[in-house]
């Protein structure tokens, strides 16, 4: 006889009835903790009979905060609501206004009872929770269905790592499960081991945004006065490893002067986009999956394909090479050589490893060392391991001893603005043929046309300052992706024609 399926108990979440004057604060608190139920959203509260005559309107804000339930032994005896609701205000940092906000509950729709059935990761989580020792599971004071509802349904696999989106597991605040317990307790390592095996990976981490300033985790990333310094390497210093060894922890030595042993013991992960391999160490180097739009565009950009088809071919320059985001697209499009400037030694190592995976040859060239370290004719990617502020000197030395195909493209891929590199970029293009500068910027949605005109004027100004002139125009503005609410990552394709010296009167 087929075993009768037992329908799980409904999962309930918290809903807040909030005075209009507090809506923005409550909404922000929920969004910062990823606890706003965007599907249900925010709506007017019409329950009160005195709505029309009320001195202030109220809004109904749905959250993803789960009302915790005792495990199956006492599944029908929910935690007292007043305990859960009190915890809600503590969780959100709203204790000072809790007397003005009413907390209610709402049932999760039946189709959301068992999200794990449609999601391999959540299915692995459910099975792994079920394999926990009964006493450990019971200590969490929540049913498996409630626990599962707190895990993210989205994830990315970069072999051999499973990367989860930023999530503090905070909606389980009403139970005894906390981020510290879940991520760092030895009791939970068998849980993550089972999850990793089920989805076919060996490492698991929680993602985080790349801070523009470095949060001080040791002396290497703070100023003398203790304040954060600029995160010039764009290192993923807030990434949280959960399971598996990711390599030596970031320190003064491993960040700025890693050894071959550091490289060899670190975890390296891979991704393939447009048939191009890329590899990086997630503890040290960022990877932006959203840049695929721009990578794809470069592969098929008419200005690239026509430059490649010219008799001498062409050279491309990437002034912020990273692990090869755009470098590899240029090579895939058959650009003869790509010159790269990159500060981060971990990104340079990623460039080497990624190029090798794709069958391309790299060579690192130190300044003032061209004669003692001649370039191989077969080198595809030439790397200068320092700041691009020295790019003009590097290029001049290189052109004295190497016959490079004309430089037709210069990529300036740094955010929030690459404008510090434009002075050198305009002077690197081939004087006879001219070429294109691809200038990356973060721009307000309503400011794109204004910024487009400003970028052209700034490029003209850099030419003029160098005693040069040439036609400058913006051929195209590519909207790559949303960077923040109301802000887009855009690329200005700037054409500069034949460059001449200004006549001296």
């Amino acid at each position: 006889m087929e075993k009768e399926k037992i329908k799980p108990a409904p999962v309930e979440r918290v809903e807040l009835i909030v005075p209009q004057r507090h809506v923005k604060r409550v909404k922000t608190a929920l969004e910062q903790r990823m606890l706003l139920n965007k599907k249900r959203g925010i709506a007017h509260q019409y329950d009160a009979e005195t709505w029309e005559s009320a001195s202030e309107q109220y809004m109904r804000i749905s959250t993803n905060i789960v009302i915790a339930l005792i495990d199956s032994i006492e599944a029908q005896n929910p935690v007292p609501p007043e305990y859960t609701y009190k915890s809600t205000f503590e969780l959100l940092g709203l204790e000072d206004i809790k007397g003005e906000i009413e907390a209610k509950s709402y049932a999760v729709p039946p189709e959301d009872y068992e999200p794990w059935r449609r999601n391999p990761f959540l299915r692995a989580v459910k099975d792994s929770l079920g394999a926990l020792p009964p006493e450990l599971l019971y200590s969490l004071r929540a049913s498996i269905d409630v626990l599962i509802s707190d895990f993210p349904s989205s994830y990315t696999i970069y072999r051999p790592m499973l990367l989860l989106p930023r999530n503090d597991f905070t909606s389980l605040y009403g139970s005894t499960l906390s981020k510290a317990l879940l991520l760092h307790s030895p009791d939970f390592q068998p849980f993550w081991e089972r999850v990793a095996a089920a989805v076919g990976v060996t490492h698991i981490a929680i993602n985080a945004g790349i801070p523009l300033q470095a949060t001080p985790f040791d002396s290497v990333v703070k100023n003398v006065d203790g304040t954060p310094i600029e995160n010039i390497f764009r290192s993923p210093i807030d990434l949280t490893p959960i399971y598996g060894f990711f390599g030596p922890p970031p320190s003064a030595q491993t960040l700025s002067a890693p050894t071959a042993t550091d490289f060899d013991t670190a975890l390296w992960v891979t991704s393939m986009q447009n048939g191009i391999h890329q590899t990086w160490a997630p503890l040290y180097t960022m990877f932006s999956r959203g840049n695929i739009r721009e990578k794809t565009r470069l592969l098929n950009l008419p200005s690239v394909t026509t430059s490649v088809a010219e008799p001498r071919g062409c050279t491309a320059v990437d002034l912020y090479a990273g692990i090869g985001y755009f470098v590899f697209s240029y090579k895939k499009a058959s650009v003869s050589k790509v010159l790269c400037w990159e500060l981060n030694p971990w990104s340079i190592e990623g460039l080497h490893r990624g190029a090798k995976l794709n069958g391309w040859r790299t060579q690192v060239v130190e300044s003032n060392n061209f004669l003692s370290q001649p370039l191989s004719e077969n080198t595809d990617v030439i790397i200068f391991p320092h700041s691009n502020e020295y790019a003009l000197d590097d290029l001049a030395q290189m052109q004295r001893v190497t016959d490079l195909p004309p430089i037709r493209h210069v990529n300036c891929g740094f955010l929030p603005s690459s404008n510090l590199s434009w002075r050198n970029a305009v002077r690197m293009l081939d004087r006879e043929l001219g070429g294109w500068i691809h200038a990356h910027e973060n721009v307000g949605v309503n400011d794109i046309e204004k910024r487009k005109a400003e970028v052209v004027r700034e490029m003209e100004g850099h030419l003029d300052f160098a005693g040069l002139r040439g036609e400058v125009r913006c051929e195209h503005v590519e909207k790559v992706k949303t960077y923040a609410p109301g802000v887009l990552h855009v690329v200005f394709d700037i054409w500069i024609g034949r460059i001449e010296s200004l006549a001296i009167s």
Side-chain angles (χ1 to χ4, degrees), residues 68-71 73-80:
L69 299 177
I70 304 296
D71 194 38
I73 298 175
E74 299 178 342
Q76 303 307 314
N77 299 312
V79 173

Side-chain angles (χ1 to χ4, degrees), residues 324-352:
Y325 291 121
F326 308 121
V327 173
F328 294 166
S329 288
Y330 283 125
K331 278 307 304 176
K332 183 79 169 180
S334 299
V335 167
S336 308
K337 294 186 185 298
V338 186
L339 310 185
C340 307
W341 277 262
E342 177 54 45
L343 278 169
N344 188 343
W346 289 89
S347 295
I348 293 171
E349 181 69 11
L351 261 174
H352 281 303

Side-chain angles (χ1 to χ4, degrees), residues 308-487:
V308 167
E310 290 170 355
R312 292 186 60 202
C314 72
T315 297
V317 169
D318 194 328
L319 292 174
Y320 301 95
I323 62 170
Y325 291 121
F326 308 121
V327 173
F328 294 166
S329 288
Y330 283 125
K331 278 307 304 176
K332 183 79 169 180
S334 299
V335 167
S336 308
K337 294 186 185 298
V338 186
L339 310 185
C340 307
W341 277 262
E342 177 54 45
L343 278 169
N344 188 343
W346 289 89
S347 295
I348 293 171
E349 181 69 11
L351 261 174
H352 281 303
R353 295 179 181 226
K356 186 176 181 180
L357 287 173
N358 291 297
W360 300 318
R361 293 166 292 275
T362 60
Q363 185 172 340
V364 172
V365 179
E366 299 288 350
S367 294
N368 303 313
N369 198 26
F370 290 97
L371 294 177
S372 61
Q373 191 182 17
L375 286 174
S376 166
E377 291 186 5
N378 295 324
T379 299
D380 299 297
V381 178
I382 302 162
I383 304 167
F384 297 88
H386 49 247
S387 170
N388 59 42
E389 64 183 302
Y390 307 110
L392 288 180
D393 290 338
D394 292 334
L395 180 61
Q397 293 181 59
M398 183 176 182
Q399 288 178 324
R400 283 197 288 268
V401 297
T402 305
D403 184 22
L404 276 178
I407 295 176
R408 305 301 310 283
H409 290 267
V410 181
N411 204 290
C412 305
F414 189 77
L415 299 177
S417 175
S418 61
N419 60 355
L420 292 180
S421 66
W422 299 350
R423 180 183 71 87
N424 285 344
V426 299
R427 299 169 66 179
M428 299 182 83
L429 292 172
D430 187 84
R431 293 286 183 91
E432 293 295 321
L433 299 174
W436 292 263
I437 296 174
H438 306 286
H440 293 237
E441 292 258 296
N442 284 344
V443 184
V445 173
N446 298 322
D447 299 327
I448 292 177
E449 285 302 311
K450 175 185 175 183
R451 186 57 184 149
K452 171 182 171 182
E454 292 173 346
V455 171
V456 170
R457 288 197 297 271
E458 288 181 40
M459 297 286 184
E460 290 172 335
H462 287 306
L463 282 174
D464 185 68
F465 184 80
L468 302 171
R469 66 182 176 188
E471 178 191 1
V472 181
R473 67 174 185 267
C474 182
E475 288 192 339
H476 176 73
V477 179
E478 181 69 16
K479 299 174 183 177
V480 179
K481 61 184 178 182
T482 298
Y483 184 86
V487 179

